[in-house]
Amino acid sequence: MRIDRRARAAEYDESVVWTALVLLTLGLVMVYSASIATAESARFTGGQATWYLVRHAAFAVAAVVLGAIAFQVPMRAWQRAAPWLFAAGVVLLALVVVPGIGREVNGARRWLPLGPVNLQPSELMKVAAVLYAADYTVRKHALMHSFRAGLAPMLGVMLVVGWLLLREPDFGAFVVICAIAMGTLFLGGMNGKWFAALAALAAAGFAVLVVSSPYRVQRIFGFMDPWSDAFGRGYQLSHSLIAFGRGEWFGVGLGGSVEKLHYLPEAHTDFLLAVVGEELGFVGVALVVGLFAWLCLRAFAIGRRAALLERPFGALVAQGIALWLGVQAFINMGVNLGVLPTKGLTLPLMSFGGSALVASCVALAILLRVDYENRALMGGQRT
């Protein structure tokens, strides 16, 4: 009986599961702490302090259940479905920008209303992008050194996705999806010169997008010197920095944040880490950074093992998930700390948002499936 239990425990990477559960649990606690004041004062919540907590908990349960279902799907099925999932994601992104269908909030049209909940297609598109980029790279592996046959089709597809995302607008999701696609192509054998050229082209394109948009220019100026206009363009960042400053080493204590009391906008979503820094201090922020670093390292390790077992699709999917979570977490943390310009990206597994939680948990379930099949294959080879 003991041998059977050990065998079952070794079927997947338990550290990935526990790391994800710790981040989900910590996120649930911090979303509640950061949203109490907002929930009590908002009309649509009816003054219920637990309004965000209840919904975030429901989203987390749904995300875990959907992740458990996704884990049951073999990787060969994910590979066959990858182009269709990507096409479905493009259709959903197109529906978002159609007036009367997509829901607009704060000047951005990023959601599809589905009764009591709102679906954010850009979050689901990240999962589809990981799967599609991995499948495309495996199918086109022999052509990766040719721009016309290997890279141009993928570039065209990503331009369509980028155009739809910028129509919302959702510049942050565009950056993350571009990082997933380019990183996967590079890991899959893209010519180094073409990669450098595409990276330079992407950087130039992003610079043009920033310069051509007045509100993005204002964000850049606010990022460079938030204190020069602390009540205007630098308001959000200045209050985020104040939150980190108040937290010092060990924080002011759970629930003791002042910045979440209507000073720091989006405290329970984009700037959740600032509340973590204020209430749990440097130690709490270091814990969050360490958990994300471990999650990404394990994802890359699982991908490397899949590559050694000659499972290229699983390898690229695992590494694509590592790129996604790592890049998005890095951007969110950089924005909160004033290292990067302000951008609306949530902290994976922690920030409030149902679509983001579902997408992250499904992605981690697929990562665990890659690891599960790695271990099954290694066990079969040993026997």
Side-chain angles (χ1 to χ4, degrees), residues 46-71:
Q48 298 177 13
T50 59
W51 194 89
Y52 287 101
L53 171 65
V54 171
R55 279 153 183 76
H56 192 68
F59 291 148
V61 171
V64 171
V65 171
L66 290 173
I69 295 172
F71 177 77

Side-chain angles (χ1 to χ4, degrees), residues 230-241:
F231 294 99
R233 64 195 181 198
Y235 182 82
Q236 201 166 22
L237 178 55
S238 61
H239 280 278
S240 178
L241 295 176

Side-chain angles (χ1 to χ4, degrees), residues 200-222:
L201 181 63
F206 289 147
V208 170
L209 289 172
V210 170
V211 173
S212 62
S213 175
Y215 86 92
R216 292 194 185 109
V217 172
Q218 292 302 314
R219 283 187 171 185
I220 293 294
F221 286 135

Side-chain angles (χ1 to χ4, degrees), residues 139-161:
R139 286 189 287 108
K140 299 280 188 176
H141 180 71
L143 303 173
M144 278 293 105
H145 292 278
S146 168
F147 178 82
R148 182 176 180 180
L151 303 181
M154 186 65 167
L155 181 60
V157 169
M158 296 312 299
L159 287 175
V160 172
V161 173

Side-chain angles (χ1 to χ4, degrees), residues 183-352:
T184 302
L185 288 173
F186 179 73
L187 292 170
M190 180 197 292
N191 183 290
K193 294 181 180 179
W194 286 123
F195 177 78
L198 285 177
L201 181 63
F206 289 147
V208 170
L209 289 172
V210 170
V211 173
S212 62
S213 175
Y215 86 92
R216 292 194 185 109
V217 172
Q218 292 302 314
R219 283 187 171 185
I220 293 294
F221 286 135
F223 154 71
M224 295 175 65
D225 187 7
W227 307 108
S228 64
D229 189 9
F231 294 99
R233 64 195 181 198
Y235 182 82
Q236 201 166 22
L237 178 55
S238 61
H239 280 278
S240 178
L241 295 176
I242 291 171
F244 282 111
R246 291 192 74 246
E248 297 184 349
W249 285 98
F250 299 102
V252 297
L254 186 62
S257 169
V258 171
E259 288 300 317
K260 69 184 181 183
L261 304 178
H262 304 293
Y263 293 105
L264 178 63
E266 308 298 337
H268 59 296
T269 55
D270 300 346
F271 281 82
L272 186 67
L273 188 69
V275 180
V276 173
E278 186 176 4
E279 296 190 350
L280 304 182
F282 174 82
V283 173
V285 174
L287 173 64
V288 173
V289 173
L291 290 171
F292 275 108
W294 177 254
L295 203 58
C296 292
L297 287 173
R298 291 309 308 153
F300 275 118
I302 290 170
R304 184 170 62 252
R305 181 180 294 177
L308 292 174
L309 294 171
E310 298 182 354
R311 302 180 60 235
F313 177 72
L316 291 174
V317 167
Q319 293 166 346
I321 292 170
L323 286 171
W324 164 17
L325 297 179
V327 168
Q328 184 162 334
F330 175 79
I331 293 175
N332 178 273
M333 293 173 183
V335 167
N336 276 251
L337 290 165
V339 178
L340 296 173
T342 303
K343 187 66 230 130
L345 271 179
T346 58
L347 189 60
L349 297 170
M350 291 187 66
S351 295
F352 179 81

